[in-house]
Amino acid sequence: MSRTQTIAVAGNPNCGKTTIFNSLTGTHQHVGNWPGVTVERKEGRYVYHEQTFKVIDLPGTYSLSTYSVEELVARDFIIKDVPDIIVNVVDASNLDRNLFLTTQLIEIGRPMVIALNMMDMAQEKGLQIDTETLGVLLGAPVVPVVGRTGLGIDLLKEKIHRVQTQVSEKARHINIVYHRDIEAQIERISHVLEQGAIALPNARWVAVKLLEKDDHIWEYLVDFTEKESLKIVTAEAIDQIEKIFNDTSRSAISHARYGFVRGATQECVKTTLAEPVDYSRKIDKFLTHRLLGLPIFAFFLWVMFTVTFNVGAYPMDWIDSAVSWMINLLHTILPESMVASLIVDGMISGVGAIAVFLPNIFILFFIIALLEDSGYMARMAFIMDRVMHSLGLHGKAFIPLVMGFGCNVPAIMGTRILESRRDRILTTLINPFMSCSARLPVYILVAGAFFPTHAGTVIFAMYVTGGVAAILSGKLFSKTVLRGMSKPFVLELPPYQKPKFSSLLWHTWERGQVFIRKMGTVILVGSIIVWAFGYFPREVTLSQDYDGQTQKLKTQLTVRQHSIDEAFDASVEMQKQQYYSVLVPFESSKHFKELVGQRDSLLHETQINFQDAVASVGYARQADVMSQKWIGKLGKIIEPIVAPLGFTWREGVALITGFVAKEIVVSTYGVLFGVGADVDAENTGIIASLQQGGMTPLISIGFLVFVLLYTPCLATMAAIRRETGSWGWTTFSVVYSLLLAWLLAFGIYRIGSWLEWLT
Amino acid sequence: MFGRFQNKTRSIPRHQLENAGLRLSDLQPGQKARILEIGGSEMFRIRLMEMGLLIGDVVEMEKLAPLRDPMELIVKGYHLSLRRMDAEKIAIETVAADE
């Protein structure tokens, strides 16, 4: 068995490249990122005739110029990693455009096999393609395939094998021949290149790239000795070409490539149908209709939202119960120790709190895969482009923003649908302002406490504020830190296709597993840190004698119970003396029963009051303990920072723990105010405590705005880090949102106090 | 961190249209036209070319998006979408609908 051969799969977006990749490798795949950039890198393997092939799925590109990260990644791989074979997937129903990339691949000069995909659609369009002749013209074997059904994949494997073993199909390298005036200049530059004393894989390709003013080509020429003369000759050659063609050299060369492509297709493609049927056009008569288009779009969004969060609610509950069950179980079986607390209260509770979002995330990714594979995603971009354009964004950026209302983590991961890195970063940065569902419990609690009659309005205002913050920040970023480099909007609206269920599941899993991996890393570490802050120092000195207080309450209870009993006995004695009936004994009389009822209700009331009082002492104790743990000390430290907003150290601590996940703000409050961690809006204790804790309706608005705007959670932070690929942008996002949150809360508190609003 | 985007805004040559006549953005739904000249930045022109929109091609204006921008075109049987501000950089001549 010979060494593993590397295959690079290249092709346009929407050409069915991924389907071909999947058919080749089956499930033996690994998804990762290309180093340093957030472009998905898929790698798989298969064995054919005892030969192992490693298959790399290059990003889908229309060309190999260097305008996008994807193009750069694809080109770098071909040049630097030198794959043994390139499989160029070409959409047969769209030959002219797809072959433009092919011409660039031919020039690089690696052995190549062309997979002519979507032959069924080409036939529907009435196209007959002479694959033999096309193969001869392109200098590479052409294999007709239908990726969706797997037709022709075996033949493709056979051809790849043959090209690699050179049994019969000697890949005949051809040159793309340009206009003679361009050829003359290529000749000239090649001549200089030959003198530079380095082994270039393909001097002709380098010469063409130099003529195209491709700056990145110099990266391959680091060791080249004659750089200066090469620069001079290149500049001269470009000048010559631009004079002759009255166009930029780059444009002239691209035109020449198209000339080559047209020559090839004219010879090999025959159209049999006069008017091909365009089903997508008919579907679009409704889906992008000038009046119906928007309502239909809104309806699909609504469905997406409802399904994700309503259907997701069931498995969410199951996971929630499973986690609670596990925590309870471990609490009973594990002896109380630091390790047990770390495992149960730190790791399992922390990761469990995030794990409940898994169903939402997977459902959302499934719907996105459905939208992408069916072709409707491109229509969404078409419909929303006008709105997003005003933010300097691409139409497709709308989808991750809307998803943010559900959960920012999948939404930020969803920015991958955007082609340009700048758009991805911009959308990622403004995404946290879309108020996610985890913030809702905080709104419900606080708005419910201070605005019981207008809670709905306050909550709605939070969503609107978030949207406005996103739009304004987007405008700000696109004018400052993320200026320029917005790609021209040229969007392909690919034909609608019936999605394949297995491929939908695969896409969902591919993206979702990233989140699972994250739970085991970043979120786990974060949970442990927060746990440690709440756990250490272990020994605290209580400021009050809580046990004594409880004991006192118990004594009071006994005294009270005793006095009730005494009073009862006295009353019975008195009534008995006034009792005359001989027919009914006193113990069965109405009067006696009344007295018993009175006594019982008094005892019951006493018992309830006692329990409440004991609980209060317990919570006060917990609050006392918390204030002495690191977390409480941290709260005291940051108190000066949040004091100008009218917040106390409690708000500070709640906000800090909110970094782990926003829902935790509520449970932290519960702990700090001493009403227990299991808090919900019906819990009257916390509402009273909030009001007694010095918070006014005005401060509560500031607090809500702060909760809305600052970094949603650790998982979001991790997603930002992952998608931007940089700690710099992650820090920027955290600092910016904290600043914005602080300034707005400050403004609300100061201006509100001055105007004496809601105080 | 920010440099990555700014250093790319090197001077890209812009092409001023020589044709003074109709622009692609002037087309009404259902009308067909031949592309005469493509202006704008080199990046824009190359991008159009990569997407298969070339001088000499006949395009059909299919429709405008519900919010009146961008526009949808049919070129060689496939559908492309362009913003109207970009379509203004493309000079055309109308052709009969059956061509």
Side-chain angles (χ1 to χ4, degrees), chain A residues 395-448:
Chain A
K396 274 197 256 181
F398 185 75
I399 293 137
L401 285 186
V402 170
M403 279 161 52
F405 282 132
C407 177
N408 299 114
V409 175
I412 287 171
M413 283 156 77
T415 58
R416 289 186 187 180
I417 57 170
L418 299 173
E419 280 165 41
S420 103
R421 188 176 138 83
R422 177 220 171 243
D423 284 9
R424 278 199 295 257
I425 291 184
L426 182 51
T427 317
T428 299
L429 289 180
I430 63 176
N431 204 293
F433 298 132
M434 309 310 283
S435 183
C436 70
S437 55
R439 274 166 258 191
L440 196 56
V442 188
Y443 301 160
I444 293 175
L445 176 81
V446 178

Side-chain angles (χ1 to χ4, degrees), chain A residues 63 65 94 97 215 248 250 254 258 262 278 281 284 288 385-386 393 419 483 491 493 728-729, chain B residues 1-2 6 10 42 45 47 49-52 57 60 62-63 67 70 78-81 83 85:
Chain A
S63 125
S65 52
N94 219 330
R97 199 195 60 209
D215 293 342
T248 62
R250 191 171 175 162
S254 292
Y258 258 110
R262 289 208 169 151
D278 190 343
R281 196 175 177 181
D284 269 341
T288 61
D385 183 65
R386 170 114 190 225
L393 282 176
E419 280 165 41
R483 206 171 14 193
L491 175 78
L493 299 170
W729 283 116
Chain B
M1 134 178 118
F2 308 132
Q6 286 170 351
R10 61 195 148 151
E42 178 172 55
R45 287 182 297 143
R47 181 90 177 141
M49 216 181 278
E50 288 171 0
M51 303 282 288
D57 278 347
E60 181 178 349
E62 173 73 0
K63 67 173 76 151
L67 296 172
Y78 59 90
H79 296 243
L80 275 187
S81 171
R83 284 181 184 149
M85 55 171 262

Side-chain angles (χ1 to χ4, degrees), chain B residues 62-75:
Chain B
E62 173 73 0
K63 67 173 76 151
L64 287 175
L67 296 172
R68 321 314 291 151
D69 198 29
M71 60 200 295
E72 180 181 348
L73 305 166
I74 303 177
V75 197

Side-chain angles (χ1 to χ4, degrees), chain A residues 680-702:
Chain A
D680 57 45
E682 285 103 68
N683 193 321
T684 47
I686 195 164
I687 293 175
S689 305
L690 271 173
Q691 286 160 339
Q692 285 158 16
M695 201 186 249
T696 63
L698 178 68
I699 296 172
S700 82
I701 295 270

